[in-house]
Amino acid sequence: DLDKAVALDPDNAGFHLNRGVARYKRGDYWLALDALETALKLKAPAPRVLQYRAEAHYALGNITKAVDDIREGIKLAPKDAELYTALGLFGLRSRLYPQALKDLDSAVRFDAANDKAHLYRGLAYAGLGDYSRASRSFRLAARHAEKPVDALTLLCQSERLRDRQRNAIGECNRALQVDPEHAPAFIQRGLAYFALRDYPKAVRDLDDGGRLAPPEPEALLARSIAHV
């Protein structure tokens, strides 16, 4: 228990950092900030403290403080891929896609196996409507991810939007091999089958996806038409 550990050793910077991260992950952002401030005063590794402090600030809507923290961390650790990834994610969330790509390009330059940075790059390219580059980034994310189901499903969607339906189906098949109950993969594969006018398979997948998670409007429409 981190609270007990801190009580027993209140000057341990690592305990305060870990408590701050734990509080952040469970959504206690103000308490996370308090623990992270203490960790920083006790000389915990500043880049990591600043990264999680930035995440907590962002969750509380303090976007400027979040960005400032990440940029301060980058000054201290200019080749830290995780910091560039976090900064790119902030840009992605704000739909500042060109800026996000600039930061995420730095992330993969310093860590070519950074699956999250590749995934976020794919989302940024998709936000710009460049599905060809989005697909390339999602492939890299899937290659490096320990559990590539999300990257494969996004690759399926990107290929579907490129009107490469057979490729899309293949990527969704790979995603479902990783997680046989991944609803978005069923939905995307169903939409690909629908585009190919293979309505029985479209209905099967869209029904399975809808059973596992609430379907999106596009999936509901396709399912209704395929049932006719």
Side-chain angles (χ1 to χ4, degrees), residues 75-219:
K75 287 180 182 179
L76 296 171
K79 295 184 179 182
D80 190 313
E82 288 189 37
L83 292 171
Y84 284 105
T85 302
L87 190 58
L89 179 58
F90 292 163
L92 183 63
R93 288 170 176 168
S94 300
R95 299 186 180 182
L96 301 173
Y97 301 125
Q99 182 60 50
L101 283 169
K102 180 180 177 182
D103 294 323
L104 293 166
D105 285 347
S106 295
V108 298
R109 184 168 69 252
F110 295 125
D111 180 7
N114 187 326
D115 61 294
K116 287 185 179 179
H118 287 298
L119 186 77
Y120 299 155
R121 285 176 83 237
L123 291 171
Y125 279 125
L128 292 170
D130 189 341
Y131 296 110
S132 177
R133 289 184 178 178
S135 287
R136 286 201 293 271
S137 293
F138 291 140
R139 280 195 185 91
L140 288 168
R143 181 185 303 169
H144 296 297
E146 183 177 349
K147 295 181 179 179
V149 63
D150 290 330
L152 289 169
T153 302
L154 287 167
L155 176 55
C156 172
Q157 182 180 35
S158 182
E159 290 294 277
R160 182 177 67 78
L161 292 171
R162 296 176 70 193
D163 200 24
R164 299 171 57 149
Q165 309 303 335
R166 294 295 180 190
N167 285 357
I169 290 166
E171 300 303 343
C172 278
N173 288 343
R174 291 175 63 201
L176 290 166
Q177 288 174 358
V178 178
D179 181 356
E181 295 195 345
H182 191 62
F186 279 112
I187 297 296
Q188 292 302 322
R189 191 173 69 176
L191 292 171
Y193 278 127
F194 177 79
L196 293 171
R197 299 187 179 183
D198 190 339
Y199 297 133
K201 289 181 180 178
V203 168
R204 178 202 65 193
D205 278 352
L206 294 170
D207 281 349
D208 284 343
R211 174 178 53 82
L212 293 166
E216 297 178 359
E218 183 185 9

Side-chain angles (χ1 to χ4, degrees), residues 2-16 19 42:
L2 286 170
D3 290 334
K4 289 181 179 177
V6 170
L8 290 171
D9 189 359
D11 293 326
N12 189 309
F15 287 165
H16 287 282
R19 182 162 70 167
L42 292 171

